[in-house]
Amino acid sequence: QVQLVESGGGLVQAGGSLRLSCSASGGAFETRDMGWYRQAPGKEREFVATFSWSDRSTNYAGSVNGRFSLSRDNAKNTVKLQMNSLKPEDTAIYYCHTEVRHPLIDTNREYWGQGTQVTVSS
């Protein structure tokens, strides 16, 4: 089992910046991809950004492309989301997400963090 611990959410004025962090732990696993989704009140959860180790590519939602930047550490256990030029429309609960491979059981599984609140004031 993999646990995802998120941090960095908070309240910021429009135009400001925040940095979210997500750390994965829980034993022997191979990270396939890792990134962030968000969910605003009354809306469906939507993709924000993710990094895939299979092709070493980073993908961003069009609404955040150019403003958000995803980074990772070499141990593949932490990703950070640098959010710049924040807009009120970015207000949401941000969830870390990962898909990992568990070699001992030859299975890929998905995990979600508990979510961290990001609020951008006008």
Side-chain angles (χ1 to χ4, degrees):
Q1 186 176 355
V2 174
Q3 292 180 296
L4 300 177
V5 179
E6 302 145 319
S7 64
L11 174 65
V12 67
Q13 291 183 320
S17 299
L18 284 174
R19 184 176 62 186
L20 305 183
S21 179
C22 176
S23 296
S25 63
F29 58 87
E30 301 170 357
T31 305
R32 308 286 290 181
D33 59 67
M34 195 168 180
W36 295 88
Y37 290 70
R38 67 186 182 187
Q39 187 169 20
K43 296 186 177 181
E44 298 295 321
R45 190 171 300 185
E46 65 177 354
F47 167 79
V48 176
T50 189
F51 179 81
S52 173
W53 274 264
S54 62
D55 56 8
R56 293 195 169 275
S57 64
T58 304
N59 297 103
Y60 299 93
S63 59
V64 307
N65 192 34
R67 300 187 297 119
F68 291 9
S69 180
L70 187 68
S71 63
R72 70 199 186 279
D73 71 357
N74 292 329
K76 299 181 180 180
N77 62 356
T78 299
V79 294
K80 297 183 183 296
L81 184 68
Q82 179 67 45
M83 305 185 294
N84 298 323
S85 302
L86 283 163
K87 306 174 181 179
E89 306 92 273
D90 296 317
T91 295
I93 300 176
Y94 284 69
Y95 296 91
C96 184
H97 170 269
T98 188
E99 180 180 348
V100 305
R101 171 178 168 81
H102 295 281
L104 294 180
I105 58 176
D106 191 27
T107 301
N108 288 359
R109 296 182 65 179
E110 296 180 74
Y111 298 91
W112 293 91
Q114 81 286 352
T116 184
Q117 178 70 49
V118 171
T119 303
V120 184
S121 62
S122 301

